[in-house]
């Protein structure tokens, strides 16, 4: 981006922030904003919309909802969690990600506000992608954002829903992508790839993360591993028959939260699953399809934190 384009973009965001403040905080109408900023009413409307789209304006509910707090306490006790945030559910859309993504972004923002340099490690998936989109723009050069898994398919194309680069750009932090494909061709290739210095450096940083956020992948023919082209349907059927219950950063585990002894796991190039007892490892997940996988991850202590909604919390508690 040239200096001129950068200045124009900065000015546009400044105007959007001012318009957003005038509308949401000062209570001005769009006509009043247009007059104060000396723009047309249509431009004022676009600036207010831009402020929302760029997360320059955030709306948060300050009043705690008793039912959510009660569920958080019950889930925390049941699964021995260090952190649990339960957000309200939309009765007509129990799998809606927005509220959960906002809560996860709030937790990330809390860490980013530290003056001391922190390391945040991220998995991948739609839940984390949506979480990053809820973050405000910040300047956090003291922090590091680290990816837990490769950002390439076996043919070299980019994987979908990678959140690390997007987050680093949004908050102005250094980022460390994991410079490997998601899967190696065989264990021998994997050993050679993991010996590379950039890979070893990224793994070391991920294992020292102050906060780790991961998505949860379900098993079955609608699994992200199948949809994204990593596992053929026939292989997924065989994994399910072996007892596969879910996956975190492509590591497949059984219903007890133990890594599955299978050929697929011998080729996974992702950072080894962290020891949740030592670090804050928070799962971000909603939707009934993910409940068995999430329950297994919680049971096996693969994560020690959870951000989800009322419906998921109730079903997790009812299932045990």
């Amino acid at each position: 981006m040239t200096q001129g384009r950068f200045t124009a973009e900065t000015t546009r965001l400044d105007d959007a922030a001012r318009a957003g403040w005038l509308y949401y905080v000062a209570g001005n109408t769009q006509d009043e904003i247009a007059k104060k900023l000396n723009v047309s009413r249509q431009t004022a409307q676009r600036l207010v919309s831009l402020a929302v789209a760029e997360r320059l304006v955030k709306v948060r509910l300050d009043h705690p909802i008793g039912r959510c707090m009660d569920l958080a306490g019950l889930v925390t006790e049941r699964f021995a969690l260090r952190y649990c945030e339960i957000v309200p559910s939309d009765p007509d859309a129990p799998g809606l990600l927005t509220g959960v993504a906002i809560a996860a972004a709030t937790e990330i923002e809390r860490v980013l506000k530290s003056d001391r340099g922190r390391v945040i490690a991220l998995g991948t998936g739609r839940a984390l992608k949506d979480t990053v989109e809820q973050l405000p723009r910040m300047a956090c050069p003291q922090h590091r954002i680290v990816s837990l898994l490769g950002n390439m398919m076996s043919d070299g194309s980019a994987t979908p829903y990678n959140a690390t680069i997007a987050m680093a750009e949004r908050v102005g932090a250094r980022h460390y992508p994991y410079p490997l494909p998601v899967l190696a061709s065989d264990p021998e290739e994997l050993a050679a790839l993991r010996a590379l210095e950039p890979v070893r450096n990224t793994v070391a940083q991920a294992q020292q993360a102050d906060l780790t956020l991961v998505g949860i992948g379900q098993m079955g023919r609608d699994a992200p591993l199948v949809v994204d082209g990593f596992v053929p349907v026939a292989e997924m059927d065989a994994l399910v028959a072996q007892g596969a219950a879910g996956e975190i950063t492509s590591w497949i585990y059984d219903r007890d939260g133990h890594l599955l002894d299978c050929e697929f796991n011998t080729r996974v190039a992702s950072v080894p699953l962290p020891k949740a007892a030592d670090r804050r490892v928070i799962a971000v997940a909603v939707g009934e399809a993910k409940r068995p996988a999430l329950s297994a991850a919680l049971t096996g202590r693969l994560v020690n934190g959870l951000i989800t909604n009322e419906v998921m919390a109730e079903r997790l508690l009812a299932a045990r």
Side-chain angles (χ1 to χ4, degrees):
M1 180 181 287
T2 65
Q3 182 64 34
R5 287 178 60 194
F6 178 82
T7 302
E9 177 68 9
T10 301
T11 300
R12 188 172 72 106
L13 291 176
D14 287 347
D15 290 343
R18 189 177 300 276
W21 188 91
L22 288 170
Y23 188 78
Y24 289 101
V25 179
N28 286 255
T29 66
Q30 291 180 358
D31 286 329
E32 290 170 332
I33 294 171
K35 291 178 182 178
K36 291 180 179 181
L37 298 185
N38 195 28
V39 297
S40 68
R41 186 182 189 282
Q42 290 76 15
T43 298
Q45 184 178 18
R46 286 196 295 270
L47 287 171
V48 171
S49 297
L50 178 63
V52 174
E54 292 292 333
R55 313 298 177 193
L56 306 179
V57 173
K58 295 180 291 182
V59 179
R60 291 181 181 169
L61 188 64
D62 288 332
H63 181 73
I65 296 176
R67 178 57 177 162
C68 290
M69 296 179 70
D70 290 343
L71 286 170
L74 292 170
V75 172
T76 296
E77 182 179 3
R78 178 69 62 84
F79 295 104
L81 299 180
R82 292 174 56 181
Y83 174 89
C84 185
E85 178 77 14
I86 307 298
V87 305
S89 296
D90 181 341
D92 296 325
L96 187 67
L97 264 172
T98 305
V100 170
I102 290 172
T106 300
E107 181 60 17
I108 292 175
E109 186 180 349
R110 189 189 68 77
V111 175
L112 291 174
K113 286 180 177 178
S114 170
D115 292 331
R116 184 171 69 85
R118 305 283 186 175
V119 178
I120 297 176
L122 295 179
T124 189
R126 185 183 165 200
L128 295 188
K129 179 176 179 292
D130 285 10
T131 293
V132 168
E133 290 174 353
Q134 295 292 339
L135 283 169
R137 294 192 178 275
M138 304 172 69
C140 304
Q142 73 274 31
H143 301 313
R144 289 169 286 168
I145 314 301
V146 181
S147 180
L148 292 171
L149 71 167
N151 56 6
M152 293 182 293
M153 306 282 281
S154 58
D155 64 359
S157 60
T159 56
Y161 304 124
N162 190 290
T164 306
I165 296 175
M167 178 176 165
E169 291 177 346
R170 197 166 194 93
V171 303
R174 289 174 290 169
H175 72 278
Y176 296 80
Y178 197 56
L180 293 183
V182 174
L183 288 175
S185 299
D186 52 53
E188 290 73 24
E189 180 185 73
L190 178 59
L193 291 172
R194 283 182 171 166
L196 297 172
E197 184 176 356
V199 176
R200 288 189 285 109
N201 182 51
T202 300
V203 169
Q205 294 197 70
Q207 291 177 333
Q208 296 300 314
D210 298 281
L211 174 65
T212 297
L213 268 75
V214 296
I216 299 291
Q218 72 270 26
M219 294 290 98
R221 297 190 174 191
D222 63 342
L225 289 175
V226 174
V227 174
D228 294 340
F230 294 108
V231 178
V233 170
E235 184 178 353
M236 175 55 69
D237 290 345
L239 287 167
V240 171
Q242 283 183 258
E247 58 92 5
I248 293 176
T249 61
S250 299
W251 292 105
I252 295 177
Y253 52 88
D254 63 21
R255 62 181 297 176
D256 296 318
H258 300 147
L259 283 181
L260 195 68
D261 183 10
C262 62
E263 188 274 340
F264 182 89
N265 276 343
T266 67
R267 298 187 293 115
V268 173
S270 307
V271 174
L273 289 180
K275 295 180 180 179
D278 300 330
R279 300 281 170 180
R280 286 212 306 153
V281 184
I282 299 176
V284 183
V286 292
E288 176 59 24
K290 295 186 181 294
R291 182 190 56 74
L294 178 56
S295 179
L298 292 167
T299 299
R301 305 290 191 266
L302 296 178
V303 298
N304 56 22
L306 174 63
I307 300 175
T308 190
N309 62 15
E310 290 175 285
V311 168
M312 179 67 90
E314 290 168 348
R315 291 177 180 172
L316 285 171
L317 293 168
R320 291 178 59 80

